[in-house]
Amino acid sequence: MIKFLEENQVNLQTITDHLESSGIEVVKQEVNRNDASVLLVTGAGLNFRIYFDDQRKFLRFSTFLPLDPSRAYESKLRLIQRFNSELFLASFSLDKDDDLLVMYYMSFVQGINLAQLMKVTIRYAELLEHIVESRNCDGMIKFANDADNNDDDEVNENSSSNDDIGMPPNTFLN
């Protein structure tokens, strides 16, 4: 049975409820002045958010992956260009701190097929893991705990990066 939500039924709570009832752990749900989002963590420990934009009728899947600050800006741009041309689903760009911003938009104009939402959520998580595990041979993506071998057990949301768009910091949690 295909479960479909009409456009007027799509909201942060119905999305969160569906994710949780499908077995995906929602780490945090937030409703701020202009943002409503759900924080999720991949099996490999990468966090990402699904933002709910009621005005424009979009869900935005997004996160950032920290890039090695010692690398040249041009090499970061080459990485962005390569990912945009070779990887499916998301768009890639640099944020104001030169970190890798990974975003995907899903419209819910005229409603949303919840099975498709789950497919996109799982594929987005798999994409993030693929980037970190298979596409980072040169070490361009560099987590804070890569340098000091410090394992985190919790999601740390105190980020100076991307404060203007509300992105979570991204670290391996496992």
Side-chain angles (χ1 to χ4, degrees):
M1 174 188 216
I2 294 176
K3 188 163 182 185
F4 186 85
L5 292 178
E6 298 294 328
E7 184 177 312
N8 64 348
Q9 297 173 308
V10 179
N11 59 54
L12 185 63
Q13 193 58 55
T14 59
I15 297 299
T16 301
D17 290 347
H18 183 71
L19 291 168
E20 288 177 332
S21 70
S22 297
I24 294 180
E25 181 183 352
V26 173
V27 176
K28 191 173 189 179
Q29 179 180 338
E30 292 183 320
V31 179
N32 297 326
R33 62 188 192 289
N34 294 327
D35 287 328
S37 67
V38 176
L39 177 66
L40 306 169
V41 178
T42 72
L46 296 167
N47 62 67
F48 66 98
R49 286 191 185 273
I50 301 174
Y51 287 89
F52 177 75
D53 184 341
D54 188 41
Q55 242 180 2
R56 296 183 291 178
K57 308 297 182 202
F58 277 98
L59 298 177
R60 181 182 81 210
F61 295 73
S62 61
T63 196
F64 77 90
L65 299 172
L67 297 181
D68 185 346
S70 68
R71 301 293 181 97
Y73 183 73
E74 292 76 19
S75 64
K76 294 175 184 180
L77 290 178
R78 283 192 298 277
L79 176 78
I80 300 300
Q81 183 180 28
R82 190 174 81 235
F83 282 179
N84 277 321
S85 67
E86 295 174 4
L87 296 176
F88 176 72
L89 186 68
S91 65
F92 303 89
S93 61
L94 292 178
D95 70 359
K96 65 179 179 158
D97 296 323
D98 289 347
D99 289 321
L100 177 62
L101 186 56
V102 184
M103 292 193 299
Y104 176 77
Y105 287 90
M106 181 177 185
S107 173
F108 62 87
V109 172
Q110 297 181 0
I112 193 167
N113 178 324
L114 291 173
Q116 183 66 19
L117 169 66
M118 293 310 299
K119 279 282 200 190
V120 169
T121 302
I122 291 166
R123 292 286 291 173
Y124 185 84
E126 289 171 346
L127 173 70
L128 297 178
E129 292 174 354
H130 172 73
I131 291 167
V132 171
E133 295 168 2
S134 302
R135 303 299 289 250
N136 192 32
C137 300
D138 62 355
M140 179 76 79
I141 299 168
K142 187 170 187 167
F143 295 96
N145 59 349
D146 286 351
D148 58 8
N149 265 343
N150 183 13
D151 288 335
D152 285 333
D153 292 326
E154 297 180 21
V155 175
N156 175 6
E157 293 195 25
N158 299 320
S159 171
S160 62
S161 184
N162 298 303
D163 286 339
D164 60 330
I165 56 175
M167 296 293 170
N170 216 333
T171 58
F172 274 118
L173 301 175
N174 297 341

